[in-house]
Coordinates of all heavy atoms in Angstrom, one line a residue:
M1 N -72.5 49.8 -15.8 CA -71.7 49.9 -16.9 C -72.4 49.5 -18.3 O -73.3 48.6 -18.1 CB -70.6 48.9 -16.8 CG -69.7 49.3 -15.7 SD -68.2 50.0 -16.4 CE -67.1 49.9 -15.0
I2 N -72.3 50.2 -19.2 CA -72.9 50.1 -20.5 C -72.0 49.6 -21.6 O -70.9 50.3 -21.7 CB -73.6 51.5 -21.0 CG1 -74.6 51.9 -19.9 CG2 -74.3 51.3 -22.2 CD1 -74.9 53.4 -20.0
F3 N -72.3 48.7 -22.3 CA -71.4 48.1 -23.4 C -71.1 49.3 -24.4 O -72.1 49.9 -24.8 CB -71.9 46.9 -24.1 CG -71.1 46.3 -25.1 CD1 -69.9 45.7 -24.7 CD2 -71.2 46.5 -26.4 CE1 -69.0 45.1 -25.7 CE2 -70.5 46.0 -27.4 CZ -69.3 45.3 -26.9
A4 N -69.8 49.6 -24.6 CA -69.5 50.7 -25.6 C -69.0 50.2 -27.0 O -68.9 51.1 -27.8 CB -68.4 51.5 -24.9
G5 N -68.6 49.0 -27.1 CA -68.1 48.6 -28.4 C -67.2 47.6 -28.2 O -66.7 47.2 -27.3
K6 N -66.6 47.2 -29.5 CA -65.7 46.1 -29.7 C -64.3 46.7 -30.0 O -63.2 45.9 -29.8 CB -66.0 45.2 -30.8 CG -67.3 44.4 -30.5 CD -67.6 43.4 -31.5 CE -68.9 42.7 -31.3 NZ -69.3 41.8 -32.4
N7 N -64.1 47.9 -30.3 CA -62.8 48.6 -30.6 C -62.7 49.9 -30.2 O -63.7 50.5 -29.7 CB -62.4 48.3 -32.0 CG -63.4 49.0 -33.0 OD1 -63.8 50.1 -32.7 ND2 -63.9 48.3 -34.0
E8 N -61.6 50.5 -30.2 CA -61.4 52.0 -29.7 C -62.3 52.9 -30.5 O -62.9 53.7 -29.8 CB -59.9 52.3 -29.9 CG -59.6 53.7 -29.4 CD -58.1 54.1 -29.6 OE1 -57.3 53.3 -30.0 OE2 -57.8 55.2 -29.2
I9 N -62.3 52.8 -31.8 CA -63.1 53.8 -32.6 C -64.6 53.7 -32.3 O -65.2 54.9 -32.1 CB -62.8 53.6 -34.1 CG1 -61.4 54.0 -34.4 CG2 -63.7 54.5 -34.9 CD1 -60.9 53.5 -35.8
E10 N -65.1 52.6 -32.1 CA -66.5 52.5 -31.9 C -66.8 52.9 -30.5 O -67.8 53.6 -30.3 CB -66.8 51.0 -32.1 CG -68.3 50.6 -31.8 CD -68.7 49.1 -32.0 OE1 -67.8 48.3 -32.4 OE2 -69.7 48.8 -31.7
A11 N -66.0 52.6 -29.5 CA -66.2 53.0 -28.2 C -66.2 54.5 -28.0 O -66.9 55.1 -27.2 CB -65.2 52.4 -27.3
K12 N -65.2 55.1 -28.7 CA -65.1 56.6 -28.5 C -66.3 57.3 -29.2 O -66.8 58.3 -28.7 CB -63.7 57.1 -29.2 CG -62.6 56.8 -28.3 CD -61.3 57.3 -28.8 CE -60.2 57.2 -27.9 NZ -58.9 57.9 -28.4
Q13 N -66.8 56.7 -30.3 CA -67.9 57.3 -31.0 C -69.2 57.2 -30.0 O -69.9 58.1 -29.9 CB -68.2 56.6 -32.3 CG -67.3 57.1 -33.3 CD -67.4 56.1 -34.7 OE1 -68.2 55.2 -34.6 NE2 -66.8 56.5 -35.7
K14 N -69.4 56.1 -29.4 CA -70.5 55.8 -28.5 C -70.4 56.7 -27.2 O -71.3 57.2 -26.7 CB -70.6 54.4 -28.1 CG -71.3 53.6 -29.3 CD -71.6 52.2 -28.8 CE -72.1 51.4 -30.0 NZ -72.5 49.9 -29.5
A15 N -69.1 56.9 -26.8 CA -68.9 57.8 -25.6 C -69.3 59.2 -25.9 O -69.9 60.0 -25.2 CB -67.4 57.6 -25.2
R16 N -68.9 59.6 -27.1 CA -69.2 61.0 -27.6 C -70.8 61.2 -27.6 O -71.3 62.2 -27.1 CB -68.5 61.4 -28.8 CG -68.8 62.7 -29.3 CD -67.9 63.0 -30.7 NE -68.3 64.3 -31.0 CZ -69.3 64.7 -31.8 NH1 -70.2 63.9 -32.2 NH2 -69.5 66.0 -32.1
K17 N -71.4 60.2 -28.2 CA -72.8 60.3 -28.4 C -73.6 60.4 -27.0 O -74.5 61.1 -26.8 CB -73.4 59.2 -29.2 CG -74.9 59.3 -29.5 CD -75.4 58.3 -30.4 CE -76.9 58.3 -30.7 NZ -77.7 58.8 -29.6
A18 N -73.1 59.5 -26.2 CA -73.5 59.4 -24.8 C -73.4 60.7 -24.0 O -74.4 61.2 -23.2 CB -73.1 58.3 -24.0
S19 N -72.3 61.4 -24.3 CA -72.0 62.5 -23.7 C -72.8 63.7 -24.0 O -73.3 64.6 -23.3 CB -70.4 62.9 -24.0 OG -70.1 64.1 -23.4
I20 N -73.1 63.7 -25.4 CA -74.1 64.8 -25.9 C -75.4 64.5 -25.3 O -76.2 65.4 -25.1 CB -74.0 64.6 -27.4 CG1 -72.7 65.1 -28.0 CG2 -75.2 65.5 -28.1 CD1 -72.5 64.9 -29.5
D21 N -75.9 63.3 -25.3 CA -77.2 62.9 -24.7 C -77.4 63.2 -23.4 O -78.5 63.5 -22.8 CB -77.6 61.5 -25.0 CG -77.7 61.3 -26.5 OD1 -77.9 62.1 -27.4 OD2 -77.6 60.0 -26.9
N22 N -76.3 63.2 -22.6 CA -76.2 63.3 -21.2 C -75.4 64.5 -20.7 O -74.4 64.4 -20.2 CB -75.8 62.1 -20.3 CG -76.6 60.8 -20.6 OD1 -77.7 60.7 -20.1 ND2 -76.1 60.0 -21.6
K23 N -76.0 65.8 -21.0 CA -75.2 67.0 -20.8 C -75.0 67.1 -19.2 O -75.7 66.8 -18.4 CB -76.1 68.2 -21.2 CG -76.4 68.3 -22.6 CD -75.2 68.9 -23.4 CE -75.5 69.3 -24.8 NZ -74.3 69.4 -25.5
G24 N -73.7 67.6 -19.0 CA -73.3 67.7 -17.6 C -72.8 66.5 -16.9 O -72.3 66.5 -15.7
K25 N -72.8 65.4 -17.6 CA -72.4 64.1 -17.0 C -71.1 63.7 -17.6 O -70.8 64.0 -18.8 CB -73.3 62.9 -17.2 CG -74.8 63.3 -16.8 CD -74.9 62.8 -15.3 CE -76.3 63.3 -14.8 NZ -77.2 62.1 -14.5
Y26 N -70.3 63.0 -16.8 CA -69.0 62.5 -17.3 C -69.0 61.1 -17.7 O -69.7 60.3 -17.1 CB -67.9 62.6 -16.1 CG -67.7 64.0 -15.7 CD1 -68.4 64.6 -14.6 CD2 -66.6 64.7 -16.2 CE1 -68.2 65.9 -14.1 CE2 -66.4 66.1 -15.7 CZ -67.1 66.7 -14.8 OH -66.9 67.9 -14.4
I27 N -68.5 60.9 -18.9 CA -68.4 59.5 -19.5 C -67.0 59.0 -19.5 O -66.1 59.7 -20.0 CB -68.9 59.6 -21.0 CG1 -70.2 60.3 -21.1 CG2 -69.0 58.2 -21.5 CD1 -71.4 59.7 -20.4
T28 N -66.7 58.0 -18.9 CA -65.4 57.4 -18.9 C -65.5 55.9 -19.4 O -66.6 55.2 -19.2 CB -64.8 57.2 -17.4 OG1 -65.8 56.8 -16.5 CG2 -64.5 58.6 -17.0
L29 N -64.5 55.4 -20.1 CA -64.4 54.1 -20.6 C -63.5 53.2 -19.9 O -62.4 53.6 -19.5 CB -63.9 54.1 -22.1 CG -64.8 54.9 -23.1 CD1 -64.2 55.1 -24.4 CD2 -66.2 54.2 -23.2
Y30 N -64.0 51.9 -19.7 CA -63.2 50.8 -19.0 C -63.1 49.6 -19.7 O -64.0 49.3 -20.6 CB -64.0 50.7 -17.6 CG -64.0 51.9 -16.7 CD1 -65.2 52.6 -16.8 CD2 -62.9 52.2 -15.9 CE1 -65.2 53.7 -15.9 CE2 -63.0 53.3 -15.1 CZ -64.1 54.1 -15.2 OH -64.2 55.2 -14.4
A31 N -62.1 48.8 -19.4 CA -62.0 47.5 -20.1 C -62.3 46.4 -19.1 O -61.5 46.3 -18.0 CB -60.6 47.4 -20.8
C32 N -63.2 45.6 -19.4 CA -63.4 44.4 -18.5 C -64.2 43.4 -19.4 O -65.4 43.6 -19.4 CB -64.2 44.8 -17.3 SG -64.6 43.4 -16.1
F33 N -63.4 42.6 -20.0 CA -64.0 41.6 -20.9 C -64.8 42.3 -22.0 O -66.0 41.9 -22.3 CB -64.9 40.5 -20.3 CG -64.2 39.8 -19.1 CD1 -64.4 40.1 -17.8 CD2 -63.2 38.8 -19.4 CE1 -63.7 39.4 -16.9 CE2 -62.5 38.1 -18.5 CZ -62.7 38.4 -17.2
G34 N -64.3 43.3 -22.5 CA -64.9 44.3 -23.6 C -64.7 45.6 -23.1 O -64.2 45.9 -22.1
I35 N -65.2 46.6 -23.8 CA -65.1 48.0 -23.6 C -66.5 48.5 -23.1 O -67.5 48.3 -23.7 CB -64.6 48.9 -24.7 CG1 -63.3 48.3 -25.2 CG2 -64.5 50.3 -24.3 CD1 -62.9 48.9 -26.5
Y36 N -66.5 49.1 -21.9 CA -67.7 49.5 -21.2 C -67.7 51.0 -20.8 O -66.6 51.4 -20.6 CB -68.0 48.7 -20.0 CG -68.5 47.4 -20.3 CD1 -67.5 46.3 -20.4 CD2 -69.8 47.0 -20.6 CE1 -67.9 45.0 -20.8 CE2 -70.1 45.7 -20.9 CZ -69.3 44.7 -21.0 OH -69.6 43.4 -21.4
M37 N -68.8 51.7 -20.8 CA -68.7 53.0 -20.4 C -69.5 53.2 -19.2 O -70.4 52.6 -18.8 CB -69.2 54.0 -21.4 CG -70.7 54.0 -21.7 SD -71.3 55.3 -22.9 CE -71.3 54.3 -24.3
Q38 N -69.1 54.3 -18.3 CA -69.7 54.6 -17.2 C -70.2 56.0 -17.1 O -69.4 56.9 -17.6 CB -68.9 54.5 -16.0 CG -69.6 54.8 -14.6 CD -68.6 54.5 -13.4 OE1 -67.5 53.9 -13.6 NE2 -69.1 54.9 -12.3
I39 N -71.4 56.4 -16.9 CA -71.9 57.7 -16.9 C -72.0 58.1 -15.4 O -72.7 57.6 -14.6 CB -73.2 57.8 -17.6 CG1 -73.1 57.3 -19.0 CG2 -73.8 59.2 -17.6 CD1 -74.4 57.2 -19.8
S40 N -71.4 59.3 -15.0 CA -71.4 59.7 -13.6 C -71.6 61.2 -13.6 O -71.3 61.9 -14.4 CB -70.2 59.3 -12.9 OG -69.1 59.6 -13.4
K41 N -72.0 61.7 -12.3 CA -72.2 63.0 -12.1 C -70.8 63.9 -11.9 O -70.6 65.0 -12.3 CB -72.9 63.4 -10.9 CG -74.4 63.2 -10.9 CD -75.0 63.5 -9.5 CE -76.6 63.6 -9.7 NZ -76.9 64.0 -8.2
R42 N -69.9 63.2 -11.4 CA -68.5 63.7 -11.2 C -67.4 62.7 -11.4 O -67.7 61.5 -11.4 CB -68.3 64.2 -9.8 CG -68.9 63.4 -8.7 CD -68.8 64.1 -7.3 NE -70.0 64.8 -6.9 CZ -71.1 64.2 -6.3 NH1 -71.0 62.9 -6.1 NH2 -72.2 64.8 -5.9
V43 N -66.2 63.2 -11.6 CA -65.1 62.3 -11.8 C -64.5 61.8 -10.6 O -64.3 62.5 -9.6 CB -64.0 63.1 -12.7 CG1 -62.8 62.2 -12.8 CG2 -64.4 63.7 -14.0
N44 N -64.3 60.4 -10.5 CA -63.8 59.8 -9.4 C -62.3 60.0 -9.3 O -61.6 60.2 -10.3 CB -64.1 58.4 -9.4 CG -63.6 57.6 -8.1 OD1 -62.4 57.6 -7.8 ND2 -64.7 57.1 -7.4
V45 N -61.7 60.2 -8.1 CA -60.3 60.4 -8.0 C -59.3 59.3 -8.6 O -58.3 59.6 -9.2 CB -59.9 60.7 -6.5 CG1 -60.0 59.3 -5.7 CG2 -58.5 61.2 -6.4
H46 N -59.8 58.1 -8.8 CA -59.2 57.0 -9.3 C -59.4 56.9 -10.9 O -58.8 56.0 -11.5 CB -59.6 55.7 -8.6 CG -59.2 55.7 -7.2 ND1 -57.9 55.7 -6.7 CD2 -60.0 55.7 -6.0 CE1 -57.9 55.7 -5.5 NE2 -59.1 55.6 -5.0
D47 N -60.2 57.7 -11.4 CA -60.5 57.6 -12.9 C -59.3 57.8 -13.8 O -59.3 57.1 -14.8 CB -61.7 58.6 -13.2 CG -62.9 58.0 -13.0 OD1 -63.2 56.8 -12.6 OD2 -63.9 58.9 -13.0
P48 N -58.3 58.6 -13.5 CA -57.2 58.7 -14.4 C -56.4 57.3 -14.7 O -56.1 57.0 -15.9 CB -56.3 59.7 -13.8 CG -57.2 60.5 -13.1 CD -58.2 59.7 -12.6
S49 N -56.3 56.6 -13.6 CA -55.6 55.3 -13.7 C -56.5 54.2 -14.2 O -56.1 53.2 -14.7 CB -54.8 54.9 -12.5 OG -55.8 54.8 -11.4
D50 N -57.8 54.4 -13.9 CA -58.7 53.3 -14.2 C -59.3 53.3 -15.6 O -59.7 52.3 -16.2 CB -59.9 53.3 -13.2 CG -59.6 52.8 -11.9 OD1 -58.5 52.4 -11.6 OD2 -60.4 53.1 -10.9
S51 N -59.3 54.6 -16.2 CA -59.9 54.7 -17.6 C -59.1 54.1 -18.6 O -57.9 54.0 -18.5 CB -60.2 56.2 -17.9 OG -58.9 56.8 -18.1
L52 N -59.7 53.7 -19.7 CA -59.1 52.9 -20.8 C -58.1 53.8 -21.5 O -57.0 53.4 -21.9 CB -60.1 52.2 -21.5 CG -59.6 51.3 -22.6 CD1 -58.8 50.2 -22.1 CD2 -60.8 50.6 -23.4
F53 N -58.6 54.9 -22.1 CA -57.7 55.7 -23.0 C -57.2 57.0 -22.3 O -56.8 57.9 -23.0 CB -58.6 56.1 -24.2 CG -59.1 54.8 -24.9 CD1 -60.5 54.6 -25.0 CD2 -58.3 54.0 -25.4 CE1 -60.9 53.4 -25.6 CE2 -58.7 52.8 -26.1 CZ -60.1 52.4 -26.2
G54 N -57.2 57.2 -21.0 CA -56.7 58.3 -20.4 C -57.5 59.6 -20.5 O -56.9 60.7 -20.6
A55 N -58.7 59.4 -20.9 CA -59.6 60.6 -21.2 C -61.0 60.3 -20.7 O -61.3 59.2 -20.4 CB -59.6 60.8 -22.7
Y56 N -61.8 61.4 -20.6 CA -63.3 61.3 -20.3 C -64.0 62.3 -21.3 O -63.3 63.1 -22.0 CB -63.5 61.7 -18.9 CG -63.2 63.1 -18.5 CD1 -64.0 64.2 -18.6 CD2 -61.8 63.4 -18.1 CE1 -63.7 65.5 -18.3 CE2 -61.5 64.8 -17.7 CZ -62.3 65.7 -17.8 OH -62.0 67.1 -17.5
W57 N -65.2 62.1 -21.3 CA -66.0 62.9 -22.2 C -67.1 63.8 -21.4 O -67.6 63.3 -20.4 CB -66.8 62.1 -23.3 CG -66.0 61.6 -24.3 CD1 -66.0 62.0 -25.6 CD2 -65.1 60.5 -24.3 NE1 -65.0 61.3 -26.2 CE2 -64.5 60.3 -25.5 CE3 -64.8 59.5 -23.2 CZ2 -63.5 59.3 -25.8 CZ3 -63.8 58.6 -23.5 CH2 -63.2 58.5 -24.8
L58 N -67.3 65.0 -21.8 CA -68.1 66.0 -21.1 C -68.8 66.9 -22.2 O -68.0 67.6 -22.8 CB -67.3 66.8 -20.0 CG -68.3 67.8 -19.1 CD1 -69.3 67.0 -18.4 CD2 -67.4 68.7 -18.3
N59 N -70.1 66.8 -22.3 CA -70.8 67.7 -23.2 C -70.3 67.5 -24.6 O -70.2 68.4 -25.4 CB -70.8 69.1 -22.8 CG -71.4 69.3 -21.5 OD1 -72.2 68.7 -21.0 ND2 -70.9 70.4 -20.7
G60 N -70.1 66.3 -25.1 CA -69.6 65.9 -26.4 C -68.1 66.1 -26.7 O -67.7 65.9 -27.8
K61 N -67.3 66.5 -25.7 CA -65.9 66.7 -26.0 C -65.1 65.8 -25.2 O -65.3 65.6 -24.0 CB -65.5 68.3 -25.6 CG -66.3 69.2 -26.5 CD -65.8 70.7 -26.1 CE -66.7 71.6 -27.0 NZ -66.4 73.0 -26.6
E62 N -64.1 65.3 -25.9 CA -63.1 64.4 -25.2 C -62.1 65.1 -24.5 O -61.5 66.1 -25.2 CB -62.3 63.5 -26.3 CG -61.4 62.5 -25.7 CD -60.8 61.5 -26.7 OE1 -61.1 61.6 -27.9 OE2 -60.1 60.7 -26.3
K63 N -61.8 65.0 -23.3 CA -60.8 65.7 -22.5 C -59.9 64.8 -21.9 O -60.3 63.8 -21.2 CB -61.5 66.5 -21.5 CG -62.5 67.5 -22.0 CD -63.2 68.4 -21.0 CE -64.0 69.5 -21.6 NZ -64.6 70.4 -20.8
A64 N -58.6 65.1 -21.9 CA -57.6 64.4 -21.3 C -57.6 64.7 -19.9 O -57.8 65.8 -19.4 CB -56.2 64.6 -22.0
F65 N -57.1 63.8 -19.0 CA -57.0 64.1 -17.6 C -55.8 65.0 -17.5 O -54.8 64.8 -18.1 CB -56.8 62.8 -16.8 CG -58.0 61.9 -16.6 CD1 -58.2 60.8 -17.5 CD2 -59.1 62.2 -15.8 CE1 -59.3 60.1 -17.4 CE2 -60.2 61.5 -15.7 CZ -60.3 60.4 -16.5
T66 N -56.0 66.0 -16.5 CA -54.9 67.0 -16.3 C -53.8 66.3 -15.3 O -54.0 65.3 -14.7 CB -55.4 68.2 -15.6 OG1 -56.0 67.9 -14.3 CG2 -56.5 68.8 -16.4
D67 N -52.7 67.0 -15.4 CA -51.5 66.5 -14.5 C -52.0 66.5 -13.1 O -51.6 65.7 -12.3 CB -50.4 67.4 -14.7 CG -49.7 67.3 -16.1 OD1 -49.9 66.1 -16.7 OD2 -48.9 68.1 -16.5
A68 N -52.8 67.5 -12.6 CA -53.2 67.6 -11.2 C -54.1 66.4 -10.8 O -54.0 65.8 -9.8 CB -54.0 68.9 -11.0
Q69 N -54.9 66.0 -11.8 CA -55.9 64.9 -11.6 C -55.0 63.5 -11.5 O -55.3 62.8 -10.7 CB -56.9 64.7 -12.7 CG -57.9 65.9 -12.6 CD -58.8 65.8 -13.9 OE1 -58.4 65.6 -15.0 NE2 -60.2 66.0 -13.7
I70 N -54.0 63.5 -12.3 CA -53.2 62.3 -12.3 C -52.4 62.1 -10.9 O -52.3 61.1 -10.4 CB -52.3 62.2 -13.6 CG1 -53.2 62.1 -14.8 CG2 -51.2 61.1 -13.5 CD1 -52.5 62.3 -16.1
I71 N -51.9 63.3 -10.5 CA -51.1 63.3 -9.2 C -52.0 63.0 -8.2 O -51.7 62.2 -7.2 CB -50.4 64.7 -9.0 CG1 -49.4 64.9 -10.1 CG2 -50.0 64.8 -7.7 CD1 -48.7 66.2 -10.2
R72 N -53.3 63.5 -8.1 CA -54.2 63.2 -7.0 C -54.5 61.7 -7.0 O -54.7 61.2 -5.8 CB -55.4 64.0 -7.2 CG -55.2 65.5 -6.7 CD -56.6 66.2 -6.5 NE -56.3 67.5 -6.3 CZ -56.7 68.6 -7.1 NH1 -57.4 68.4 -8.1 NH2 -56.5 69.8 -6.7
D73 N -54.6 61.2 -8.1 CA -55.0 59.7 -8.3 C -53.9 58.9 -7.6 O -54.1 58.0 -7.0 CB -55.2 59.3 -9.8 CG -55.3 57.9 -9.9 OD1 -55.8 57.1 -9.1 OD2 -55.1 57.4 -11.2
E74 N -52.6 59.2 -8.1 CA -51.4 58.5 -7.6 C -51.3 58.6 -6.0 O -50.9 57.8 -5.4 CB -50.2 59.1 -8.2 CG -50.1 58.7 -9.6 CD -49.0 59.3 -10.4 OE1 -48.2 60.2 -9.8 OE2 -48.8 59.0 -11.6
Q75 N -51.7 59.8 -5.5 CA -51.5 60.0 -4.1 C -52.7 59.4 -3.3 O -52.5 59.0 -2.1 CB -51.6 61.6 -3.8 CG -50.2 62.3 -4.3 CD -50.2 63.8 -4.1 OE1 -51.3 64.4 -3.8 NE2 -49.1 64.3 -4.1
A76 N -53.8 59.1 -3.9 CA -54.8 58.5 -3.2 C -54.8 57.0 -3.2 O -55.5 56.4 -2.5 CB -56.2 58.9 -4.0
T77 N -53.9 56.5 -4.1 CA -53.8 55.0 -4.1 C -52.6 54.7 -3.1 O -51.6 55.1 -3.2 CB -53.3 54.6 -5.5 OG1 -54.2 55.1 -6.5 CG2 -53.1 53.1 -5.7
P78 N -53.0 53.9 -2.1 CA -52.0 53.4 -1.2 C -50.9 52.6 -1.7 O -51.2 51.8 -2.6 CB -52.8 52.5 -0.1 CG -53.9 52.2 -0.9 CD -54.3 53.1 -1.9
S79 N -49.7 52.8 -1.4 CA -48.6 52.0 -1.8 C -48.6 50.7 -0.9 O -48.9 50.7 0.2 CB -47.3 52.6 -1.7 OG -47.0 53.0 -0.4
L80 N -48.2 49.6 -1.5 CA -48.2 48.2 -0.7 C -46.8 47.9 -0.4 O -46.6 46.6 -0.2 CB -48.9 47.3 -1.7 CG -50.3 47.6 -2.3 CD1 -50.7 46.5 -3.2 CD2 -51.2 47.6 -1.1
Y81 N -45.9 48.8 -0.1 CA -44.7 48.4 0.4 C -44.2 49.1 1.6 O -44.8 50.0 2.2 CB -43.6 48.4 -0.7 CG -43.4 49.8 -1.3 CD1 -42.4 50.6 -0.7 CD2 -44.2 50.3 -2.3 CE1 -42.2 52.0 -1.3 CE2 -44.0 51.6 -2.8 CZ -43.0 52.4 -2.3 OH -42.8 53.7 -2.8

C-alpha cells in the first residue's frame, strides 16, 4: 500500500497519476489511518465494497464499479447469520 494523500482530491489526483504511470494496472484507494492506494494486475472480487470511493483507475481514467461487480462482491461475502 502506498500513501495517497490526506483528502479525497489529493488521493484521486495521485491515483490518476499512478494509473498513467502504470499502464494496464488497476489502482484502488483504501482508508486505513489515512488514504492509501494499491496497484494490482486485476481487480479483486471484494474491491467494490473495500474501495474508498467506489471506483478504480485504469490507464488514467476513473471508472465506477459496475452493477455486476458489486453483485459478485456481495455474493462472494459470506453472511454471518
